[in-house]
């Protein structure tokens, strides 16, 4: 429809010399001349499908018009300018080269059949060159937009991959630890076995809720209206207030995270230093994921008995420290796997930094992240410490 509209617009411009009064001595405006003029415009309907073929058709019909009828002339070669612009935007280099050669031949020939003046030749060369340059600029802008869109999509895929990794890695690690302890507890302390199995169930349900939420957001971003097409489980999640549009977990969900980790037998301490304040949604989600990944790393690799999570609210940033009493980094440690790499990427996304390695005095393992947050007035530091528990 766009090409049809362009053709109609050009036809309107080509019609003007046929409807305005003409001076005596000029070529008559006949219906035959007008019909042939229309034939020079009709090929524009296919300009984006076959630009070079349309250029050839316009050159041929225009030449026939000039030689056979020599009807009213046009102040500008509208159809030629449109197709030259289209060739410059859409065609590969070899077609642009062929088109350039054809135009370089056609312009002097057309001027020779018309006024034979240097003024017309210079003007015609300028307007066709301008049409070509504008076409190349349009192509460059479109390619830049495509590259930018691809980069945005790649960043979004990487973000989703980090989220999926954090959710699944954390849940599976806790479930493995609890499942391995279950058989021993069944024989020695049945009440602990029951608690372990309950923790496995709770961890699995939490992971499913987070995954459903993320997949729901993906559906909404792709087509919108996700819950109308969802199945029974998704509709149940909506009814339970766990809709995919719900926000990502933030600092407020950390205590529940600690409770799940404690179910694996790891004692988790939590302290907040400074004036605690509300964080932007994206920053809060990053804090939660950083702590979650650090705890997952402790459960899977550290062999620790206790771990301490410390949030230090400063005037211009927030410092996150997760320190365990485990075996610490092994010799030749290179900075962590995908999870800890994701921690660095999350911090960098907010202009922050992340460091991982041995704790103070070489004991245990520490994850330390700094994330800039909006400045607040000076408030005396206060410390709120949660009791370390199993």
């Amino acid at each position: 429809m766009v090409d049809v509209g362009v053709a109609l617009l050009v036809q309107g411009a080509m019609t003007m010399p046929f409807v305005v009064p003409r001076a005596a001595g000029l070529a008559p405006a006949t219906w035959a001349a007008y019909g042939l003029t229309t034939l020079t415009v009709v090929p524009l309907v296919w300009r984006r499908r076959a630009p070079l073929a349309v250029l050839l058709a316009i050159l041929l019909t225009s030449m026939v018009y000039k030689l056979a009828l020599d009807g009213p002339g046009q102040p500008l070669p509208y159809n030629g300018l449109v197709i030259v612009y289209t060739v410059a935007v859409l065609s590969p280099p070899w077609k642009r080269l062929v088109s350039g050669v054809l135009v370089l031949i056609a312009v002097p020939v057309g001027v020779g059949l018309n006024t034979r003046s240097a003024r017309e030749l210079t003007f015609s060369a300028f307007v066709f060159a301008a049409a070509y340059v504008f076409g190349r600029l349009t192509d460059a802008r479109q390619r830049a937009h495509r590259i930018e869109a691809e980069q945005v999509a790649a960043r979004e895929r990487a973000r989703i991959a980090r989220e999926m990794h954090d959710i699944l890695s954390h849940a599976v690690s806790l479930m493995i630890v609890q499942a391995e302890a279950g058989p021993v507890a069944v024989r020695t302390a049945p009440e602990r076995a029951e608690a372990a199995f309950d923790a496995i169930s709770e961890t699995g349900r939490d992971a499913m809720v987070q995954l459903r939420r993320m997949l729901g957001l993906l559906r909404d971003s792709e087509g919108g209206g996700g819950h109308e097409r969802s199945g029974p489980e998704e509709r149940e999640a909506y009814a339970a207030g766990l809709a995919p549009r719900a926000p990502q977990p933030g600092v407020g969900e950390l205590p529940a995270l600690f409770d799940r980790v404690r179910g694996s037998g790891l004692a988790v301490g939590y302290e907040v230093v400074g004036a605690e304040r509300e964080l932007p949604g994206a920053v809060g989600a990053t804090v939660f994921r950083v702590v979650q990944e650090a705890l997952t790393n402790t459960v899977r690799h550290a062999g620790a008995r206790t771990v301490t999570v410390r949030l230090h609210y400063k005037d211009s940033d927030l410092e996150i420290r997760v320190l365990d009493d485990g075996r610490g980094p092994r010799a030749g440690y290179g900075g962590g796997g995908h999870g800890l790499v994701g921690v660095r990427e999350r911090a960098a996304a907010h202009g922050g930094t992340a460091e991982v390695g041995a704790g103070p005095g070489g004991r245990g393992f520490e994850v330390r992240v700094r994330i800039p947050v909006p400045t607040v007035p000076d408030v005396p530091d206060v410390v709120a410490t949660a009791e370390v528990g199993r």
Side-chain angles (χ1 to χ4, degrees):
M1 291 302 296
V2 173
D3 293 335
V4 173
V6 170
L8 290 175
L9 183 63
V10 172
Q11 180 63 31
M14 301 284 277
T15 300
M16 291 180 184
F18 289 87
V19 296
V20 297
R22 298 183 58 74
L26 294 179
T30 64
W31 283 107
Y34 184 71
L36 193 51
T37 299
T38 302
L39 289 180
T40 68
V41 177
V42 169
L44 290 177
V45 173
W46 298 277
R47 67 188 183 93
R48 287 191 290 184
R49 301 179 189 176
L52 182 56
V54 171
L55 174 63
L56 288 170
I58 289 175
L59 290 177
L60 180 61
T61 53
S62 298
M63 190 65 64
V64 171
Y65 176 81
K66 189 66 180 177
L67 294 175
L69 296 176
D70 194 19
Q74 307 296 328
L76 280 175
Y78 303 105
N79 50 359
L81 295 177
V82 169
I83 193 56
V84 167
Y85 170 85
T86 304
V87 168
V89 173
L90 300 179
S91 296
W94 74 268
K95 288 188 177 181
R96 297 201 302 270
L97 179 60
V98 172
S99 301
V101 172
L102 292 173
V103 172
L104 285 176
I105 295 173
V107 167
V109 171
V111 173
L113 294 174
N114 194 27
T115 64
R116 301 182 181 180
S117 67
R119 178 180 180 181
E120 183 184 1
L121 178 62
T122 303
F123 178 75
S124 298
F126 172 78
V127 294
F128 276 106
Y132 181 84
V133 170
F134 286 142
R136 297 307 302 148
L137 291 175
T138 299
D139 177 60
R141 184 172 63 253
Q142 290 175 348
R143 283 188 284 111
H145 289 168
R146 285 195 297 269
I147 292 173
E148 182 180 1
E150 291 170 358
Q151 291 174 342
V152 169
R155 289 195 295 269
E156 184 65 9
R157 286 194 296 268
R159 185 192 68 81
I160 293 172
R162 286 196 302 268
E163 295 287 343
M164 299 284 283
H165 172 275
D166 289 351
I167 293 171
L168 294 175
S169 177
H170 175 76
V172 172
S173 297
L174 291 183
M175 292 168 72
I176 289 174
V177 171
Q178 292 156 350
E180 289 176 343
V184 177
V186 167
R187 294 191 295 270
T188 60
E191 67 283 356
R192 288 184 57 193
E194 183 177 351
F197 294 140
D198 288 343
I200 292 174
S201 176
E202 181 182 354
T203 301
R205 282 196 299 268
D206 179 74
M208 286 298 296
V209 167
Q210 294 192 54
L211 289 173
R212 186 179 292 119
R213 177 187 302 162
M214 183 175 300
L215 294 175
L217 288 173
L218 287 174
R219 288 196 199 99
D220 288 346
S221 64
E222 290 177 356
H227 69 279
E228 289 83 358
R229 299 186 304 274
S230 58
E233 292 184 356
E234 286 79 3
R235 289 193 292 270
E236 182 180 344
Y238 269 88
L242 301 172
R245 292 183 183 274
Q248 290 292 307
V251 176
E253 283 71 32
L254 285 177
L257 172 66
F258 301 148
D259 289 340
R260 290 195 297 272
V261 175
R262 289 180 184 123
S264 69
L266 180 66
V268 181
Y270 177 43
E271 63 179 25
V272 178
V273 180
E276 186 174 5
R277 58 187 180 274
E278 185 176 355
L279 301 174
V283 175
T286 294
V287 173
F288 181 90
R289 295 302 185 197
V290 165
V291 173
Q292 182 185 57
E293 180 53 40
L295 293 177
T296 301
N297 189 66
T298 296
V299 171
R300 294 178 62 183
H301 306 298
R305 299 182 62 188
T306 63
V307 61
T308 301
V309 178
R310 184 172 185 262
L311 302 185
H312 187 177
Y313 289 84
K314 302 179 181 180
D315 286 348
S316 59
D317 59 38
L318 170 64
E319 184 182 63
I320 310 165
R321 298 183 67 178
V322 182
L323 173 64
D324 64 51
D325 63 353
R327 63 177 65 95
R330 60 185 181 277
Y333 175 72
H338 293 294
L340 293 179
V341 170
V343 167
R344 294 190 180 93
E345 292 174 347
R346 289 179 185 278
H350 295 281
T353 59
E355 300 176 6
V356 297
R363 296 187 299 273
F365 190 87
E366 183 177 39
V367 175
R368 184 165 61 251
V369 175
R370 183 193 64 81
I371 300 176
V373 294
T375 303
V376 297
D378 292 335
V379 178
D381 281 356
V382 295
V383 178
T385 305
E387 180 181 356
V388 174
R390 287 282 179 180

